[in-house]
Amino acid sequence: MKKAAAIILSLAFLLSLAACGGGSESETTTAATEQASAVNAGIESTVAVTERDDDPTFLTLFRYPDSKEYKAIKKAEKIETGIDGEFNETWKFRAEKDGVKVGLEYISWVNEVGNFQIIENIFEIETEKGKYYEFSCTVGEAIPEYRLVAEYGGLRAEYNIQYDGMGDESKAVELIGEKYYPGEITEDSPFYALCLSHAITAADNDNDTAVKDNYAFWQTFAFAVTQNYEAAGGDAFNGENLKLTEWVARAYISALYPSFNGAYPDFPDGGYVVYTPQAYEEYEIMPCSYGDLHSSEFYGVEDNGDGTYTVKIKVYTYPDEYEVLEADKAVIVKPLDSYDENNPFGYTVLRVEDCELPKG
């Protein structure tokens, strides 16, 4: 089993994770519980069992062997993970519903997208209500290497396998299913870099950032990658090109150009991207900064009432030292309806339009 390499940018990870805001909002209702001895599929326990058919709780997770609730579990079905590590721990959970799909994902944080990439699915099971399960894996410190996920009825719950510092004082954790929502778009969110890139390219190309202009296509792509790399604490202009895997490149393109049919436009000579298919990191990106030629102001996000949003951006262009041009751009975006591991941004850009914003 592969083991994740040590990652040193833990601060960048925490800042990026806060900026993502991914997740969802749901109302939680306190369900009545009862302390009883239950026998489910031959598994005995004295842990409180939730008795609410409409409760969105999928699982109850028990992490620490020294906690009272963990010790109360007499038997649990073992799920083999094949993970051997010095920092392995055995966690247990109780299924609160039948038919919940529960999986363990091996994940890696990717600064360029401000989110996790799923490297491997370790296991996937369907639960039996009231039954107890256990699995063993490595517990991360600053950055998790594994994530427990549960899906049922169009709802999803996630829990990163990492230390929380609670020890034997830890209480059971409820994994509550929520409707997918990628989080608000702010000036600090990774997806905003994609909107800004579209707006600036549109200002230079009469709103044409689409695939018919391959130079504009890859310029928009390279600028978005560079912005997020810098925001995550990297030094994009250290004299070396940025290198991306196929997954990262496709993540950007799926969010930048959702109607794209998959056959990339040509890489223009002297352009921003070099493609080397035999390499592990197939895409070599020349860092792209609009530098002294442009600046911008973020004017917020407006709900259009039809499932789309407008990201408002004012672009300033400086053709020479004596002139400033303003271009007001409305970037129309759409959130994903459900979780997609290949679009970690959670949104797609639909089009760019002109709009009117207050004078800067």
Side-chain angles (χ1 to χ4, degrees):
M1 178 60 59
K2 293 194 301 185
K3 203 166 179 273
I7 307 175
I8 62 172
L9 294 176
S10 60
L11 179 58
F13 159 73
L14 294 172
L15 291 174
S16 299
L17 191 58
C20 287
S24 58
E25 298 177 0
S26 71
E27 289 185 53
T28 57
T29 305
T30 303
T33 59
E34 61 181 25
Q35 192 75 19
S37 176
V39 179
N40 297 287
I43 298 172
E44 298 179 357
S45 175
T46 57
V47 180
V49 178
T50 300
E51 297 291 351
R52 273 275 305 277
D53 290 338
D54 61 342
D55 192 329
T57 304
F58 290 169
L59 311 173
T60 302
L61 182 65
F62 310 94
R63 325 180 19 152
Y64 288 102
D66 291 333
S67 68
K68 293 180 180 179
E69 292 170 305
Y70 190 105
K71 290 178 178 179
I73 301 171
K74 306 303 181 185
K75 293 181 181 178
E77 180 177 307
K78 185 175 182 179
I79 305 171
E80 295 293 343
T81 62
I83 301 170
D84 297 318
E86 180 182 355
F87 301 104
N88 272 20
E89 292 183 4
T90 298
W91 289 18
K92 301 184 181 185
F93 63 88
R94 180 182 64 235
E96 305 296 355
K97 293 182 182 296
D98 286 322
V100 177
K101 290 185 178 180
V102 179
L104 184 68
E105 299 170 343
Y106 174 43
I107 55 177
S108 177
W109 180 259
V110 180
N111 276 332
E112 289 84 356
V113 300
N115 214 321
F116 289 103
Q117 177 184 1
I118 300 172
I119 306 299
E120 184 179 355
N121 291 297
I122 304 301
F123 68 73
E124 185 176 287
I125 65 165
E126 286 198 12
T127 61
E128 297 177 35
K129 183 177 179 179
K131 190 171 182 178
Y132 290 82
Y133 303 84
E134 68 178 38
F135 65 94
S136 177
C137 72
T138 302
V139 179
E141 293 190 18
I143 302 175
E145 297 178 19
Y146 297 92
R147 177 172 67 191
L148 189 68
V149 298
E151 296 180 335
Y152 178 87
L155 305 180
R156 178 180 172 89
E158 298 180 354
Y159 192 86
N160 291 332
I161 308 297
Q162 62 188 132
Y163 288 107
D164 67 358
M166 296 299 293
D168 58 7
E169 296 180 1
S170 172
K171 302 296 183 184
V173 177
E174 292 183 338
L175 269 66
I176 298 174
E178 299 177 320
K179 184 173 174 22
Y180 175 77
Y181 178 67
E184 295 182 4
I185 300 171
T186 69
E187 199 170 3
D188 296 323
S189 61
F191 182 69
Y192 179 71
L194 281 66
C195 298
L196 177 60
S197 185
H198 262 294
I200 293 180
T201 305
D204 287 347
N205 294 273
D206 296 325
N207 287 350
D208 180 16
T209 64
V211 296
K212 55 189 174 183
D213 183 340
N214 59 353
Y215 192 88
F217 178 98
W218 291 113
Q219 181 187 42
T220 304
F221 169 84
F223 179 72
V225 172
T226 305
Q227 287 287 103
N228 278 331
Y229 187 83
E230 290 269 296
D235 180 7
F237 300 96
N238 63 358
E240 297 182 3
N241 289 342
L242 305 177
K243 295 184 179 180
L244 305 181
T245 64
E246 180 76 26
W247 181 84
V248 175
R250 288 188 177 274
Y252 271 93
I253 291 172
S254 68
L256 285 166
Y257 299 102
S259 61
F260 193 54
N261 62 13
Y264 296 160
D266 293 337
F267 301 97
D269 292 339
Y272 290 97
V273 180
V274 176
Y275 179 57
T276 309
Q278 67 270 22
Y280 170 69
E281 296 174 308
E282 298 98 329
Y283 293 83
E284 190 166 336
I285 314 297
M286 183 176 73
C288 175
S289 171
Y290 290 101
D292 296 333
L293 299 178
H294 300 86
S295 63
S296 64
E297 281 188 85
F298 175 49
Y299 275 73
V301 180
E302 180 178 309
D303 187 343
N304 298 325
D306 60 357
T308 67
Y309 294 84
T310 297
V311 181
K312 298 179 179 181
I313 303 172
K314 183 183 288 288
V315 177
Y316 300 97
T317 304
Y318 308 97
D320 57 55
E321 60 180 316
Y322 303 106
E323 188 177 8
V324 179
L325 303 178
E326 294 186 14
D328 298 341
K329 298 299 175 183
V331 184
I332 314 302
V333 306
K334 189 178 189 303
L336 299 183
D337 295 327
S338 59
Y339 173 78
D340 180 356
E341 67 178 81
N342 293 314
N343 181 349
F345 300 105
Y347 289 86
T348 58
V349 176
L350 300 182
R351 61 189 182 276
V352 183
E353 300 174 350
D354 293 323
C355 64
E356 288 191 18
L357 300 174
K359 283 291 184 181

